[in-house]
Amino acid sequence: MKTTQNIPVLEARNVTKEFHIPTPGFQREYIAAVDQVSLSLHDKPANIVTLIGESGSGKTTLSRMMLGLTPPTRGKIFYRGKEVFTLTKEEWWEYRRNVQPVFQDPFSIYNPFYRIDRVLDLAIKNFKLSSSADEAQSLKEEALRAVDLRPDDVIGRYPHQLSGGQCQRVMLARMYLLRPKIILADEPISMIDVAVRMLFLNVLADFRDKYHISSLFITHDLATAYYLGGEMMVLCFGRVVESGKIETLIEQPGHPYTQQLLTAIPSPDPTQRWETKANVKITDRPLTHEANKCVYIERCPHAMDICSRQRPPDYQIEDGHYAACFLYQDRPVRGSEI
Ligand SMILES: Nc1ncnc2c1ncn2[C@@H]1O[C@H](COP(=O)(O)OP(=O)(O)OP(=O)(O)O)[C@@H](O)[C@H]1O
Ligand code: SF4
Ligand SMILES: [Mg+2]
């Protein structure tokens, strides 16, 4: 497929995913798990976008849409400028290779009856990465070393004989072999040992800097997001309520939701988790027919009349920093900036 520099490798354009929710009576009710979200991942230059949000905010649903596993209800996912569900067989194959997932549970993706390095053998075989058994073996060892694993500790072992952190890094070794353009990492470190989390993050940063691999890093852990740097998007009930450079969002959060989350954490500290410390639990998720209001209105200390009548657009607080909040209605709306 033709590569054009300005076209993102992977783009979600205004995607919405609605799910039916069980209700008493005959009326069918829906929630928007993801509500008009747009994001782009490029390879030149590679970037890391962190998506942060509480449980149920729609992080996994967005990632599944970007992987082509779940079709959006509205909006589209584009791979190199072409809508993913219209890709030809060859283009789909390229998309599958270039957009790779890392899932939350490091054990769930391995077959317990096979040795763990089989995932590397299969990648080498399926994508024809070597022409001899010796070459395959040295490729495998090189990939393991690239993610800080000793080949002797891993090769020939079964998943249950390794730690969660080692299993996650074997998945990264597979990425090293495949050299995808994009990694979609859905809470990849939440189930691994604190001691190896930084190692994992360093590998993602290395991939970005050395191999131009971009990542969507999904988390609800502010400290790790801060460590990675780059862009951050704050998701609340399926909507992106604030986005911009992570340092800006932490030092000058614009949206009342982000502000409330941050007040509980005076400084980024790896031992503190955003979700639990902020103690913000929103149970009144709006139904789709109530979409014409701010999703944060029930908790917002600054709520105004307009907030219950209209959905706030993204206002530009400063260059590259946006908040979907009427407190900034004197600022330009995204897309209308001069
Ligand atoms: N297949 C489905 N059918 C119905 N509702 C769903 C389905 N998948 C997700 N949802 C709902 O969509 C919302 C978003 O779910 P999602 O799993 O994307 O959230 P999340 O941000 O990944 O949460 P977590 O941090 O717990 O992983 C939730 O309210 C969830 O119950
Ligand atoms: S739009 Fe209104 S209710 Fe929503 S966060 Fe801003 S001030 Fe609060
Ligand atoms: Mg999830």
Side-chain angles (χ1 to χ4, degrees):
M1 194 185 278
K2 207 173 139 196
T3 307
T4 311
Q5 197 154 344
N6 296 329
I7 294 180
V9 179
L10 190 63
E11 182 189 1
R13 204 180 293 167
N14 215 16
V15 288
T16 294
K17 182 70 191 181
E18 291 177 356
F19 288 118
H20 169 239
I21 53 160
T23 42
F26 297 107
Q27 203 173 349
R28 284 177 82 82
E29 298 282 16
Y30 294 84
I31 54 149
V34 172
D35 195 351
Q36 299 181 27
V37 170
S38 296
L39 80 88
S40 307
L41 293 159
H42 295 255
D43 59 350
K44 292 183 186 101
N47 56 341
I48 296 180
V49 176
T50 295
L51 190 63
I52 193 150
E54 293 176 288
S55 187
S57 55
K59 305 181 296 294
T60 298
T61 306
L62 178 62
S63 157
R64 286 179 57 81
M65 286 193 283
M66 295 185 82
L67 280 166
L69 301 175
T70 304
T73 310
R74 286 182 294 282
K76 288 184 174 144
I77 306 292
F78 294 89
Y79 173 70
R80 294 203 185 284
K82 194 164 175 191
E83 212 253 297
V84 293
F85 293 105
T86 66
L87 295 175
T88 62
K89 201 173 156 200
E90 290 73 31
E91 289 165 348
W92 180 265
W93 182 245
E94 186 196 310
Y95 161 66
R96 300 301 315 166
R97 174 177 175 161
N98 278 335
V99 180
Q100 289 285 329
V102 180
F103 297 112
Q104 182 173 16
D105 179 355
F107 295 103
S108 65
I109 31 147
Y110 295 105
N111 184 328
F113 302 109
Y114 288 117
R115 292 185 173 90
I116 197 150
D117 47 307
R118 184 169 181 267
V119 297
L120 305 180
D121 294 333
L122 286 178
I124 292 169
K125 184 173 156 228
N126 291 342
F127 292 100
K128 300 183 178 56
L129 304 178
S130 79
S131 49
S132 70
D134 282 351
E135 197 189 340
Q137 182 67 16
S138 41
L139 250 183
K140 196 156 87 170
E141 293 180 8
E142 178 189 324
L144 290 168
R145 285 196 201 93
V147 297
D148 249 325
L149 287 169
R150 280 167 21 117
D152 289 349
D153 292 344
V154 174
I155 293 175
R157 301 249 188 144
Y158 290 90
H160 71 271
Q161 296 176 307
L162 300 181
S163 70
Q166 284 173 315
C167 288
Q168 280 301 51
R169 275 185 287 150
V170 171
M171 280 318 285
L172 286 183
R174 184 173 172 276
M175 305 293 170
Y176 178 88
L177 289 173
L178 295 177
R179 300 281 163 88
K181 300 288 179 201
I182 307 288
I183 295 176
L184 299 179
D186 188 355
E187 304 219 37
I189 57 171
S190 60
M191 290 175 73
I192 65 179
D193 208 300
V194 174
V196 290
R197 283 185 186 174
M198 291 306 165
L199 259 175
F200 188 98
L201 297 177
N202 289 340
V203 172
L204 279 192
D206 248 25
F207 279 6
R208 174 195 59 202
D209 301 337
K210 290 188 190 155
Y211 311 118
H212 312 291
I213 299 175
S214 290
S215 299
L216 178 66
F217 179 71
I218 295 177
T219 186
H220 50 226
D221 183 344
L222 177 65
T224 50
Y226 188 76
Y227 181 80
L228 268 179
E231 302 290 315
M232 184 161 89
M233 298 170 85
V234 181
L235 210 55
C236 177
F237 277 164
R239 292 189 195 172
V240 175
V241 293
E242 187 162 6
S243 61
K245 290 218 176 313
I246 183 158
E247 298 82 8
T248 313
L249 265 63
I250 286 173
E251 283 155 27
Q252 298 156 310
H255 197 282
Y257 178 63
T258 319
Q259 288 165 359
Q260 186 174 355
L261 292 170
L262 281 161
T263 49
I265 303 178
S267 64
D269 174 346
T271 63
Q272 297 193 351
R273 285 177 79 78
W274 198 358
E275 181 186 51
T276 49
K277 288 286 171 184
N279 198 23
V280 180
K281 282 280 165 239
I282 311 172
T283 44
D284 307 320
R285 185 170 195 128
L287 302 169
T288 48
H289 70 262
E290 306 165 330
N292 274 341
K293 63 178 183 183
C294 169
V295 272
Y296 191 54
I297 190 165
E298 311 295 341
R299 300 279 174 135
C300 182
H302 311 289
M304 301 167 274
D305 190 36
I306 189 173
C307 312
S308 61
R309 290 188 279 106
Q310 284 181 38
R311 174 182 176 141
D314 287 346
Y315 291 106
Q316 185 190 41
I317 299 179
E318 57 186 34
D319 199 20
H321 181 191
Y322 297 91
C325 173
F326 286 118
L327 290 174
Y328 304 96
Q329 56 188 310
D330 58 332
R331 315 282 174 98
V333 172
R334 188 198 285 266
S336 69
E337 308 98 309
I338 303 158

